[in-house]
Amino acid sequence: MTARTITQLAHELREGSTTPRRLLDNALAHAEAAEPSLHAYLALTRELAERQADEAGRMLERDPDGASPLCGVPMALKDVLCVDGVETTAGSRILSGWKPPYTGTAVQRLFDAGAVCVGKTNCDEFAMGSSTENSAFGPAGNPWDVERVPGGSSGGSAATVAAGTVPYALGSDTGGSIRQPASLSGVVGFKPTYGRVSRYGLIAFASSLDQIGPLTRSVEDAAIVYAAIAGGDPRDSTCDPRPLGDPLETLGRGVEGLRLGVPREYMGEGIDPDVRARVEEAMAVLEGLGASLREVSLPTTHAGLSTYYIIAPAECSSNLARYDGVRFGLREDDPSLTEMYLRTRDRGFGVEVKRRVMLGTYALSSGYYDAYYRKAQKVRTVIAEEFARVFEDVDALVSPTSPSVAFTMGDRDDPLSMYMCDVVTLPVNLAGLPGISVPCGFSPELPVGLQVIAPRFEDARVFQVAHAYEQATEWHTSQSPLAATAA
Amino acid sequence: MAHLAIAVGGDGRVSAQTAEPQTNSAVSAYEAVIGLEVHAQLLTRSKMFCACSAEYIGKPANSNTCPVCLGLPGVLPVINRQAVEYTVLTALALNCEIPEFTKFDRKNYFYPDLPKGYQISQYDMPLSRNGWLEFEVEGAPVRCGITRVHLEEDTGTLHHAGDVLQSARSSLVDLNRAGVPLMEIVGEPDLRSAEAAREYLVRLRQILMYIGVNDGNLEQGSFRCDANVSLRVRGSDALGTKVEIKNMNSFRAVHRALQYEIERQAAVLAGGGTLVQETRGWVEARGATVSQRSKEYAHDYRYFPEPDLPPLALDSAYTERVRRTMPELPAARAQRLQEKFGLSAYDAAVLTAAREDADAYEALASQVPAKLAANWLMGDVAALANERRVALHRSGLGVDGLAALLRLLDAGTINGPTAKALLEELYESGGDPAAVVQERGLGQLDDEAALLAIVDEVIAANAAAAADFRAGKEAALGRLVGQVMKATGGKAQPQLVNRLLRERLA
């Protein structure tokens, strides 16, 4: 047996060759077997999953054709997504033991569709990181080589999908946190247009950049999950209420006649030559499918990283102020209020979170605001305008997702080299665009990802290009060593 | 605006109230510069950013909360439409400009009553700016500029053992109030005396209550005020060191605190000292302001645009739509009532103090003579409302009942004392005055022949008083009128009794 997609499982459930309960049992057994080496999960949610599997079974029995393709299919949630009554830690000690009294919008939509939640996946603390090594509960491994990182921050979600435990998992992407781990773990990872998926129930890192999205084994699956979670939400004012259309409509249209841009700045210095070679091969495939390729320029790319590392920490410094020991999560008692704050946050937050809170606090401080935050917002606007200008001439952009393949745990111990992981993904967040990573080969035995970027609200075009490429290649059918044991 | 300056201490009131009379001469050398910041809770149904009720008083601690106003991880705010509309309405009533573009910002600071660690407020693009409020202080017109009116959320409340959080042994947090819509009205430093400051607040509160956006309760804190006070040498344009005064929970406290602070600062300056920029709290029991923190400890609030809320575009069509819902404001209404009913300026001001009173007056004045309505509302009805702590429009009698009563009086069916007795009797219980009069035979005795017989009896029985009156003592007549009224069980028409007595004693 091999790891299967949502589409395949949905078919099997309807033809009666399996049941939600059997799929769940297999997933749990596989997770438990893989966990000692993988640590993809912070918690398995067996009780919740059994309830959901039973309900999904009834839904399928009642109306097999009307039920969602997600009904009865096991999945996992990054531990930044709130589920009523289920411990949600964001990978942080400060939230250890905290059980939200509510379920977020995107997750609720999946639950309503009959999804079966197997567990909460490991991640960098508060989604800050690119390797999952910043998890307060220990790093996750990469199913292709467990000594290596799966990427991050949605590393647990990428790892469990790549390991074949579940066909999909939700992640969140602030600067590349879905696409980069998807690339490093050899799966599909999609970040929707900012404002397409409600953030209600997503523990905030940087509010103006965060988006929830799926990690899957196929582009079609990504579109299926996206269609289920996207759309307006009265609880999120940044969520666009306009109709979604059918995100799957463009699948199979091919890329004949599409104009694809290759940003010069995304292919140059800092990109591993082998990664560049794989991506160039992928571009050749797209060209062979009838797309026209041209080089384009996004000249302000060099400022993207510093812009991101002002805006994201600034927002995070404010978003994380609520972890003060007063009402929930960790509290280090002290007779002095100030000491209680200091000790709680000192003990509760990890090094990277503290670094970003400090950076952001500094950037927003009186006297520095104009030089840092305000200037960063201006550069952000310039970056968004450059994308908009390029999209006057091309329909989509293609590039590597990550400058390198999965690295060995502990290898990148200085923050700057870690920040470089997101250099070609984070401009997409700054501009609020949709982006996807699809497997496009190996270097030498580790997965490489191809990134496809489209204009805002053209999420379906991302699927169209990625799907055409995927269907023309075999990479997405490659199974990690751990997936070979999936049932 | 400085041309309207009113001499502090020039009216002698300062020396009467001052704790340190020797500062009086110091005070008169300086001019006070006062600006007020008012925080007013809005009378919306729900909180500013969630669906919880905005009515939080009297509920069990932390029961009026949800994940959003508790600031739990993962939640997002949603703007309360009604709160925006109320703020725009207020801004229009205060002659403000409403920009077409406004946004919310985060004000970051740590405190246990602030669940998110930041308050959603407005920083550089408030809902409105550049307005004014006009009123009179001791007969002179004052126009105080309104810098801005903006919208934010209220905090929770703390209950701790001791006065200060830092030294309390334990503290309890109640977030029932957290997220209640709060409007901040920032006034320009155009006020020159404690009297002017008090009057500004009285007028501002009156307007907020008139337009129905705030209940004006200073004690419970739905209407709160902080003041910035500085002094400068009279005639100078320079601004002195500013001191912020907090914790003033009544109009009287505002007046006393500002008066105290003006004198304190004058004494420091006159003594050659320098003032520190600081925050001081008014301590009612000590009748003094006390230093709370100086500027070295001032917060850096690290304001930045609230990324969870897109900016609001309020086009002029929206603003005009809100403007059309504006009721007549108190100053305009007083003017109109003066003209329409021939009221004095004073009476018009008293009768329009609250919107309900003005409504009552207009309803009454359309049914009975305007002067009669004014006298009753400002006299017996006001006294009774005050004594029973029930406003007329909330009483059992109500405006309609009072109208019916005054119609009986006006028609001569009952006399004044009967009307007053019925007012007191029916004020809370309610009832139809005409039916009660009929039932109990309280109708006025206006049969001259019958009354004349009683008048004669009274004169006979009170020969001494009659003689006094005949000897020119006018006061004696009152005693005789009283006797006649008593003999008729209060039903005689007093003017008729008066005439008959004079005729008989002539």
Side-chain angles (χ1 to χ4, degrees), chain A residues 6-231:
Chain A
I6 294 169
T7 324
Q8 288 164 340
L9 292 177
H11 178 70
E12 288 176 23
L13 283 165
R14 279 160 186 77
E15 71 176 10
S17 60
T18 190
T19 66
R21 195 57 188 252
R22 208 179 312 153
L23 289 179
L24 169 62
D25 290 343
N26 290 344
L28 285 170
H30 189 259
E32 277 164 0
E35 271 308 272
S37 58
L38 208 55
H39 197 209
Y41 288 89
L42 294 179
L44 293 173
T45 48
R46 182 183 293 271
E47 244 176 74
L48 170 70
E50 285 176 352
R51 262 201 328 274
Q52 289 176 329
D54 291 345
E55 175 57 25
R58 285 190 289 274
M59 285 164 78
L60 283 167
E61 217 162 277
R62 252 195 327 267
D63 185 9
D65 298 328
S68 159
L70 301 172
C71 188
V73 176
M75 50 81 103
L77 297 171
K78 185 179 183 181
D79 205 28
V80 290
L81 295 162
C82 291
V83 178
D84 192 354
V86 173
E87 183 177 356
T88 301
T89 68
S92 181
R93 191 196 302 253
I94 211 160
L95 273 178
S96 193
W98 182 65
K99 292 181 178 172
Y102 74 104
T103 298
T105 302
V107 173
Q108 190 60 54
R109 285 179 184 174
L110 293 180
F111 287 0
D112 290 345
V116 178
C117 177
V118 168
K120 306 295 293 289
T121 61
N122 201 355
C123 57
D124 287 300
E125 183 176 9
F126 286 104
M128 297 177 198
S130 308
S131 68
T132 315
E133 290 168 295
N134 294 335
S135 167
F137 308 106
N142 189 317
W144 296 89
D145 175 353
V146 292
E147 300 301 312
R148 291 175 185 265
V149 303
S153 63
S154 309
S157 287
T160 192
V161 173
T165 305
V166 289
Y168 78 101
L170 288 191
S172 65
D173 190 318
T174 307
S177 277
I178 289 173
R179 290 159 290 159
Q180 186 260 11
S183 174
L184 268 52
S185 301
V187 297
V188 175
F190 174 60
K191 182 202 93 77
T193 296
Y194 183 83
R196 263 315 189 191
V197 178
S198 169
R199 293 183 293 116
Y200 189 77
L202 166 66
I203 296 182
F205 160 17
S207 311
S208 74
L209 300 159
D210 296 342
Q211 262 310 269
I212 298 170
L215 294 105
T216 61
R217 285 194 201 114
S218 74
V219 174
E220 183 182 13
D221 280 5
I224 289 170
V225 177
Y226 170 69
I229 62 176

Side-chain angles (χ1 to χ4, degrees), chain A residues 45 140 245 258 322 345 440 484:
Chain A
T45 48
L258 275 192
R322 71 192 63 197
R345 290 167 67 83
C440 70

